[in-house]
Every structure is written in C-alpha cells, then in structure tokens.
Amino acid sequence: MSGSSIAILIAFACYLLIMIFIGIMSMKKTKNTEDYFLGGRGLNGWVAALSAQASDMSGWLLMGLPGSIYAFGTGQAWIAIGLFLGTVLNWLLIAKRLRRYTIVANNSLTLPEFFENRFHDTKKILLSISSIVIVIFFLVYTASALASGGKLFNNVFGIDYHIALAIGAIVILTYTFLGGFLAVCTTDFIQGTMMLIALLIVPIAAYAMIQSDFSAALAGTGVVSSDYMSLFSNDGKPYTFVEIISQLAWGLGYCGMPHILVRFMAIRSEKEIKKSSTIAIIWVAISLIAAWAIGVVGRAFLGGALEDSENVFIQMIQHVFSGNILLIFIGGLFLCGILAAIMSTADSQLLVCASSVSKDIYKNIIKPDADDKKVLKISRLTVAAIAILAFLIAWNPDSSIMKLVSDAWAGLGSAFGPLVVCSLFWKRTNLAGAVSGILSGGLFVIIWDYVPIVNGSTLSDATGIYSLLLGFFFSLACIVIVSLCTKKPEQSILNDFDKVNQYVEQQEFTK
C-alpha cells in the first residue's frame, strides 16, 4: 500500500473509531426503549437540527446531486430547490405541531405508533400497514447508503466493491446496534459538521486551482457554457415543464420521512424547535449550494471524462489534496465527510426500521406483555437483519445511488406525507381515510416506478413524471374522499385534536 493510501486510511480509521466510541458511550445511557428510539426526548437544538439534515441528505448530497450536475448541468439543481423549500416548510409547519401531538397521543415514540394513537386504532391496522411500508422502502434507502460507501472505499483504496460494501455496513451496524438514537444523533451532529466543512472548502480550493478562465475551462469539456450554467437547460436541451415540476416535487417528500420526523418528536422543548429550524434551514441552504458548486466546478476542474459522474467529489479531493503526506491526510478527512453523509442516513434508517419491527410489530401486536429488555434485544437484532438485507440489495456495483434514493423517497413521501399533514391539520380525517392514504400512496409509487405496463416500459420512464408528484396528491385525494364518505371520527379523537389546538392558542396568547 502506498504512503498516500496509508495516510488516508489513518484518517478513516480515526474517524470510524470515534463513531464506534460514541456508540459504546451512548449504550451506557440507553436504559429503555424511549431512550433507544427517541433519546428520552432530550435533544438540544443544535443536535436536533444537524442530525435531522445530515440523516436526510445522505451520500446523495455529496455524490448523487454533484454527479448529476457534473454530467447534465445546472438544470439538475431544481431538485435542490425543491428540497430546500420542503425543508423550510417541514420545520416551520410540521415540527412543533408533530411534537405536541405525539405527546397528546399517548406519548407516541414512532410514526406508526402516532398514527395508531391519533386515530384510536384498537385493531392495529395502521400500525401494521405503516410498519411494513417503512421496512420495504427503507430497505431500498439503506441500500443506497451502503452502495455509496462501497463506491467510496472502492474508489479511494482500490478495494473490491463488495469488500468495501461490507466494511461500511459493519461500522454503521456497530454503533447503531450499541447506542440507538443517542448514538445516531450524536454521530449525525459530528457528521453534519464534517459534511458542511468538506462541501465548503473543496470546491473553493478546486476553483482556485483552475489554470484558465472558468468559462473557457468549462467549454473545454465539450459543453456550451451558457447552456450548462442555465437552470432551464438539461444536458443541452430545453427543460420541459414536466421535468421542472417533477424535480421540484422532491420537496413534497419531507413531511413523510420517518427518520426526519422522529427528530421533531425527540426535541427537548418547543423553545429548541425555533433554534433548530433556523440552524437546519441555514445548513441545508449552504449545503445544497455547495453541492451544486462541486458539480459545476468539478466539470471545469476535472474535465468531462469521468467514467462514473457520482465520483466527482472523490476525484476533486484526491486531485486538490495531493503532493505531501499532510495534504493527503487532510484530504482523507474530507473524504470522511462523504463517509459521514453516507453513515448519517444509513444509521437513521436502520433505527427507524428497528423501531417499526420491535416496537410497532413485536411489542404492540405480537407480544404486548414483552418487557423493555426484550424489546431492546429485538431492536438490535432487527438492526442487524435490515443491514444484511440492504447489503444484498446494494450488491450490484452498478447500482445508481440517485435511482435508489429517488424510489425510496417517493415511496415514503407518497405513503406518509399526505397522512402526516392531514393528521396534524384536518380534524375530519378518520381511520378509513388514513388506511386508504398509506395504501394508495405506497402502491401508486410501486406501480408507477416498477411495473412495465406501457410497451415494456414503466409509467415513470414513459412519461418522465416523478412518481412522488402524482403519488402524493393521489394519496391526499384518497384520504379526503374516503374520510368524507365514511363515519365521522369519534368524540375522543376530536377531543385530542382540540387539546393540541388549545395548547397552541395558549402558547400564542402568552406571547
């Protein structure tokens, strides 16, 4: 192994050992299921904000988005714009009310449990359906993170992709298995900070190293600079309205992401939510702009001949930080920023899957009398099982990170997003409407993205419309129509809704 590889390996080893150490320390503070799944509702504003956004963005932020911009131009930034708008609305409209409602709804610890308690679902229909939907789509989502890790280790160290995949999976599994929510949020805070530093420094350093005029360097890669830099151009062709609206639709997914929503539920107090929202919105704005810069600057800096455009950030770091051991070690730390993005999402997804299986299915349906020790044991076994299944899904080295994330995001956003909004803000929503919303949203995405019903092509490929755009509103329409056509919610459910409203009014009045 060369000296440069050893320097990078040392940087990776230091980082990974710190993550595992945090897992061990968090394990000592994890005494029951509320600690394991929500950290005892004790997150401060900074940790809640950075862990929510770090768990959200994943390797997509440092590999998927820059890669698509590198390959096709600035027009790919419409996804980033949609995600920014979704982040803002999620923090400003959903966060505070969801935290209050989960407390009113029998101190719900997970999203499926909240749905069950919100609609007084004694038959546990919502709990079962939503838990199954979470496991299905989070398997795909976790696989995208593991695939990102495999590509990172393969590209940096020349390790076989499958061995690299196993290394990343083992590390993520270790600290999530040990420390649960506290470990995940603490490591996500560190990882969110590392991601931001890497995102800011690398494109600036690369831009400074470009020898010629930037426009000339860009044109030298075989693109027309004006088209490449235009928001309304996609790979040299004019963007259609359908393409733009489909990319903006990514923002609809936020209110249906269990691994983000659980951060809102776990924040220490409502005062912290205001601080968290400010931090999170600033972080995501800077990060998305920087990710765009990586794609654009990377095109001019590296040229247009990368075999896999999703490796653009890795290649930039390796070119910028070279020449001596110290620079290579610093580059290794920035490469850890990519690993941080990958791990911060995978750990959250593993934990949400574990909570769905152990708390929602095992504890609430199969064995209601199970004690906390047994539930914790099942949780940790579930983390291991989900990691193994995601590992198998990510086995193909040609897996597209962007495609895996896109499918999972659409599935979760369509199944849960409309119901979260209606549960929090529409009093007339009932159990039948809730069930129809989850089923219709999830099935719509599966059919749209995976079933080849148009001359051997899927509806997604045939129309170019992102499944989340239609799936979200189809699910919303089903909730509204079915709720209005069936029995009004019982009085006790309406009383819970009023309790949340009265609490809001009292808070506003005292201000």
Side-chain angles (χ1 to χ4, degrees):
M1 186 177 285
S2 66
S4 60
S5 294
I6 291 172
I8 295 173
L9 186 61
I10 291 171
F12 271 58
C14 291
Y15 168 72
L16 294 174
L17 286 173
I18 290 171
M19 297 299 103
I20 292 172
F21 174 75
I22 290 171
I24 294 170
M25 295 305 294
S26 297
M27 188 178 184
K28 296 178 180 178
K29 300 178 182 178
T30 302
K31 299 174 182 176
N32 53 46
T33 52
E34 185 171 2
D35 289 340
Y36 195 77
F37 295 131
L38 280 187
R41 292 191 191 266
L43 293 191
N44 66 49
W46 279 93
V47 173
L50 290 191
S51 68
Q53 297 316 128
S55 66
D56 158 31
M57 288 302 177
S58 75
W60 173 89
L61 179 69
L62 299 182
M63 296 178 75
L65 178 60
S68 63
I69 290 173
Y70 171 93
F72 304 117
T74 292
Q76 295 292 310
W78 283 110
I79 294 177
I81 295 169
L83 290 174
F84 174 73
L85 294 174
T87 298
V88 172
L89 293 174
N90 210 27
W91 276 100
L92 296 184
L93 299 180
I94 302 295
K96 186 182 290 187
R97 191 166 178 86
L98 179 63
R99 185 184 183 278
R100 290 174 177 173
Y101 218 139
T102 54
I103 294 172
V104 169
N106 201 27
N107 194 32
S108 306
L109 301 184
T110 67
L111 191 62
E113 192 175 52
F114 166 64
F115 290 148
E116 178 193 26
N117 293 334
R118 162 68 173 83
F119 296 102
H120 296 194
D121 178 17
T122 55
K123 294 182 180 178
K124 303 189 181 298
I125 300 170
L126 277 174
L127 195 72
S128 304
I129 295 172
S130 53
S131 297
I132 292 168
V133 169
I134 283 174
V135 172
I136 290 171
F137 286 110
F138 265 138
L139 271 173
V140 179
Y141 213 151
T142 306
S144 75
L146 298 185
S148 301
K151 289 187 178 186
L152 173 64
F153 283 108
N154 171 258
N155 200 275
V156 173
F157 299 112
I159 302 173
D160 176 76
Y161 171 80
H162 301 108
I163 296 173
L165 190 67
I167 292 170
I170 289 168
V171 173
I172 294 167
L173 175 61
T174 300
Y175 71 80
T176 308
F177 182 90
L178 293 173
F181 192 79
L182 286 173
V184 166
C185 288
T186 305
T187 53
D188 283 357
F189 172 76
I190 296 169
Q191 289 162 172
T193 305
M194 290 183 66
M195 289 161 63
L196 188 61
I197 293 170
L199 279 163
L200 289 173
I201 292 178
V202 174
I204 293 172
Y207 182 83
M209 293 174 67
I210 295 174
Q211 299 296 318
S212 60
D213 174 76
F214 180 78
S215 296
L218 199 57
T221 68
V223 298
V224 178
S225 297
S226 58
D227 288 342
Y228 188 84
M229 295 299 292
S230 171
L231 267 176
F232 299 96
S233 177
N234 182 24
D235 197 20
K237 302 170 186 174
Y239 248 119
T240 66
F241 175 75
V242 167
E243 288 173 327
I244 291 175
I245 202 71
S246 288
Q247 294 200 3
L248 285 173
W250 278 66
L252 294 171
Y254 271 105
C255 50
M257 296 297 138
H259 59 301
I260 299 173
L261 298 176
V262 73
R263 264 68 179 180
F264 302 158
M265 297 158 62
I267 295 175
R268 183 163 53 200
S269 68
E270 292 197 6
K271 289 182 181 178
E272 294 288 333
I273 291 178
K274 186 174 182 180
K275 179 168 74 175
S276 292
S277 62
T278 303
I279 296 165
I281 290 168
I282 292 172
W283 186 94
V284 79
I286 294 172
S287 297
L288 289 171
I289 291 170
W292 164 82
I294 288 167
V296 173
V297 173
R299 180 84 185 203
F301 182 66
L302 298 171
L306 277 185
E307 186 175 335
D308 186 347
S309 63
E310 290 183 339
N311 289 327
V312 58
F313 193 41
I314 298 172
Q315 292 290 324
M316 286 173 73
I317 292 172
Q318 291 178 323
H319 279 76
V320 170
F321 296 93
S322 61
N324 62 63
I325 295 297
L326 179 59
L327 276 176
I328 293 168
F329 179 78
I330 293 171
L333 293 177
F334 287 133
L335 288 170
C336 287
I338 301 176
L339 185 60
I342 296 163
M343 293 170 67
S344 62
T345 299
D347 55 20
S348 298
Q349 292 157 351
L350 285 172
L351 195 62
V352 170
C353 281
S355 68
S356 290
V357 173
S358 62
K359 185 78 170 65
D360 298 326
I361 297 176
Y362 179 75
K363 167 70 175 174
N364 291 333
I365 298 175
I366 298 174
K367 199 171 180 60
D369 59 344
D371 59 24
D372 259 4
K373 276 191 174 181
K374 185 70 174 178
V375 175
L376 274 175
K377 183 179 179 181
I378 297 296
S379 300
R380 288 177 169 134
L381 290 174
T382 303
V383 166
I386 295 297
I388 292 168
L389 290 172
F391 173 85
L392 294 175
I393 293 172
W395 186 255
N396 181 4
D398 295 324
S399 299
S400 167
I401 297 167
M402 196 75 172
K403 180 70 168 64
L404 289 169
V405 172
S406 172
D407 292 344
W409 188 266
L412 292 165
S414 296
F416 295 134
L419 181 55
V420 168
V421 173
C422 290
S423 296
L424 297 179
F425 298 103
W426 190 38
K427 193 174 184 176
R428 183 63 175 78
T429 313
N430 64 14
L431 176 60
V435 172
S436 70
I438 294 176
L439 289 176
S440 61
L443 289 173
F444 184 96
V445 170
I446 291 172
I447 293 170
W448 192 268
D449 286 340
Y450 292 102
V451 181
I453 56 179
V454 182
N455 298 322
S457 298
T458 64
L459 286 165
S460 176
D461 292 334
T463 64
I465 301 174
Y466 185 30
S467 55
L468 177 56
L469 175 62
L470 298 180
F472 184 95
F473 291 106
F474 182 68
S475 173
L476 182 63
C478 287
I479 293 170
V480 173
I481 293 169
V482 173
S483 292
L484 291 175
C485 292
T486 51
K487 189 178 177 181
K488 181 181 177 181
E490 61 188 64
Q491 191 58 46
S492 58
I493 296 175
L494 301 178
N495 290 341
D496 284 348
F497 191 92
D498 289 337
K499 283 180 187 177
V500 179
N501 279 342
Q502 288 162 7
Y503 187 70
V504 172
E505 288 163 8
Q506 289 168 9
Q507 289 291 95
E508 292 299 321
F509 181 78
T510 55
K511 288 179 183 177

